[in-house]
Amino acid sequence: MAGIYIHIPYCKQACHYCDFHFSTNLNTKSDLIDAILKEIELQKHYLLNETIETIYFGGGTPSLLSTQELSTILQKIYENFSIGDNPEITLEANPDDLGQSKLEELKAAGINRLSIGIQSFDDQILSYFNRAHNSQMAINSVWNAKQIGFQNISIDLIFGVPNQSLDALGKDLEQALKLSVPHISIYGLTIEENTVFGKWEKQDKLTPIDEDLAAEHLTLIMNTLAASGYEQYEISNFCLPGFESRHNSSYWHRKKYLGLGPAAHSYNGTERQFNHANNIKYIKSLNSNELPISIEKLSIEDQINEMILTQLRLKEGLNFVSLKKNFDFELLEERKDQIQEFLQMNMLEIDGNFLRLTSNGKLLADFITEKLII
């Protein structure tokens, strides 16, 4: 089965850490939606008639769209693709967009999973991030969603914020657990060059968190959530049993997916497509019945590296037997010295056909991965 991702490139305001493609000018919204509808028609054969298992509205801030606009996109997808019997349909949303009437409309429209961008329950941190909501709005958005009948709810949090103490992070986790959401995604803050934080760093107005303290943050997160029954099924993602993100899991398991909207990516097993990250160019191309894409053919080395990059982040780890079967690459032999070193350091472990990060290894996942890829 395959998935469809729709990138909605609009936000009320720019968060200081974000380098995703978005615009705070909503004047092109109607034209862009029409362009997405056209792209759906032009790309209906991209997945070779595979059944669609998941649909994901990301961004940007998809909750800025009206329910009618979301329904129009969903209807066009249903008209052009074969949709499974129980699709996971996710909407990324900000707390300030999730009033009771909007939640009722979203549920009626077929949205059955919410991914709420809370980021923190600390009002000082939210202001530092330039978020449009406060902590009470975040709490209310979750309780309101539950009251309306949403059961599959995920919240996003960020750790590793400059000057964020372990105690402050612990309070964030405590509040998250009080909400009893079945899924929590929690990401380490990365300072990206073309963001406000990136500019502040260059001006010495911001100092990234010390790596050792960031590792303590992640250790606290893993221990706290594990003690409350959450499984770390991917390095940044924790869930109660049965509530894994089916859509995001498809990326990590290298399933096929179609990306719609400006800056969206697609993958069909042998190549990747990249949509133009420019709203006006995207709209103009589709108005001319042209796909706004560039294509990257994946070499065998590319595919090997992608499998290592994605699967090593998963709880089950990297299936090195499957790597050998699919690409004739003997990981344990080709990276024998590096793997042996990480095994001795208790960073990696081997379980049957799988090479897996230990709890210690998860603290250095990017470094370990870099040593294993081609």
Side-chain angles (χ1 to χ4, degrees):
M1 290 188 173
I4 292 178
Y5 172 85
I6 309 101
H7 188 78
I8 306 300
Y10 299 108
C11 290
K12 290 178 183 176
Q13 59 196 52
C15 298
H16 288 166
Y17 54 80
C18 182
D19 73 338
F20 290 169
H21 171 66
F22 70 93
S23 172
T24 55
N25 181 350
L26 275 65
N27 290 338
T28 59
K29 182 160 69 80
S30 179
D31 289 336
L32 187 130
I33 290 170
D34 287 341
I36 289 175
L37 299 178
K38 173 61 72 173
E39 187 182 11
I40 290 170
E41 293 179 352
L42 294 178
Q43 290 279 50
K44 64 183 179 182
H45 299 302
Y46 179 78
L47 297 171
L48 301 178
N49 298 319
E50 284 203 28
T51 300
I52 303 302
E53 178 184 16
T54 63
I55 300 171
Y56 193 105
F57 288 92
T61 312
S63 54
L64 284 178
L65 266 58
S66 70
T67 308
Q68 182 57 54
E69 289 168 332
L70 292 167
S71 295
T72 299
I73 294 171
L74 279 174
Q75 181 180 349
K76 181 65 74 171
I77 289 173
Y78 270 80
E79 288 173 357
N80 286 274
F81 294 90
S82 173
I83 310 299
D85 293 335
N86 182 32
E88 176 191 86
I89 306 178
T90 302
L91 178 80
E92 288 185 353
N94 282 342
D96 39 300
D97 294 326
L98 296 179
Q100 185 168 346
S101 59
K102 181 66 172 280
L103 284 163
E104 290 173 346
E105 292 173 2
L106 291 173
K107 196 166 190 304
I111 303 297
N112 56 31
R113 184 175 185 272
L114 293 175
S115 178
I116 306 176
I118 289 174
Q119 318 310 356
S120 177
F121 294 101
D122 184 319
D123 285 332
Q124 286 188 322
I125 290 179
L126 290 172
S127 177
Y128 184 61
F129 285 166
N130 198 38
R131 297 291 289 169
H133 68 276
N134 59 37
S135 58
Q136 192 58 54
M137 294 167 69
I139 293 167
N140 291 344
S141 70
V142 176
W143 288 125
N144 288 339
K146 286 187 165 189
Q147 188 175 26
I148 296 303
F150 282 98
Q151 297 179 336
N152 200 349
I153 301 171
S154 176
I155 63 172
D156 283 359
L157 297 175
I158 293 176
F159 73 93
V161 182
N163 301 316
Q164 183 185 28
S165 66
L166 278 172
D167 183 60
L169 175 60
K171 289 179 179 177
D172 258 3
L173 296 171
E174 181 182 352
Q175 180 58 68
L177 292 172
K178 285 180 181 178
L179 294 175
S180 299
V181 291
H183 191 284
I184 299 174
S185 297
I186 184 159
Y187 304 99
L189 178 66
T190 302
I191 309 300
E192 303 290 354
E193 183 177 1
N194 296 317
T195 64
V196 171
F197 281 172
K199 293 173 184 175
W200 286 357
E201 184 180 24
K202 288 180 181 177
Q203 298 166 356
D204 293 325
K205 295 179 179 179
L206 178 154
T207 301
I209 191 171
D210 177 80
E211 288 185 2
D212 290 338
L213 181 55
E216 290 184 48
H217 278 209
L218 183 54
T219 299
L220 176 64
I221 291 162
M222 292 190 297
N223 292 341
T224 301
L225 295 182
S228 295
Y230 287 80
E231 183 174 44
Q232 188 179 18
Y233 71 100
E234 193 270 347
I235 285 181
S236 300
N237 289 273
F238 302 78
C239 72
L240 297 177
F243 283 94
E244 296 90 347
S245 168
R246 288 160 54 190
H247 183 85
N248 288 338
S249 293
S250 70
Y251 296 152
W252 303 319
H253 288 285
R254 302 176 67 249
K255 292 184 180 180
K256 298 175 184 178
Y257 62 89
L258 171 64
L260 305 166
H265 297 178
S266 303
Y267 171 70
N268 67 1
T270 59
E271 66 182 29
R272 293 197 179 277
Q273 290 185 359
F274 304 87
N275 283 2
H276 297 330
N278 180 295
N279 293 356
I280 299 301
K281 289 182 179 179
Y282 171 85
I283 292 167
K284 284 184 176 179
S285 291
L286 285 158
N287 282 347
S288 301
N289 288 319
E290 296 177 359
L291 288 172
I293 60 173
S294 57
I295 298 174
E296 177 190 5
K297 296 284 187 181
L298 296 175
S299 67
I300 296 299
E301 287 189 357
D302 291 332
Q303 295 181 63
I304 290 170
N305 285 342
E306 286 195 358
M307 190 168 175
I308 295 171
L309 283 163
T310 55
Q311 291 194 4
L312 202 57
R313 297 180 62 87
L314 299 174
K315 65 178 181 182
E316 59 267 30
L318 170 64
N319 189 330
F320 52 81
V321 173
S322 178
L323 194 62
K324 164 66 176 175
K325 180 180 178 181
N326 291 329
F327 304 113
D328 195 28
F329 183 74
E330 289 274 13
L331 180 68
L332 299 190
E333 185 60 34
E334 295 289 340
R335 294 292 181 267
K336 181 179 179 180
D337 292 342
Q338 294 92 335
I339 290 172
Q340 187 60 40
E341 181 180 357
F342 289 132
L343 289 171
Q344 291 175 351
M345 295 170 64
N346 192 31
M347 297 289 181
L348 288 174
E349 61 186 11
I350 295 175
D351 183 7
N353 296 338
F354 292 87
L355 182 68
R356 186 163 54 223
L357 292 169
T358 64
S359 294
N360 290 334
K362 290 174 184 177
L363 305 178
L364 294 170
D366 291 343
F367 173 75
I368 293 170
T369 302
E370 185 179 332
K371 295 297 183 180
L372 298 185
I373 61 175
I374 300 176

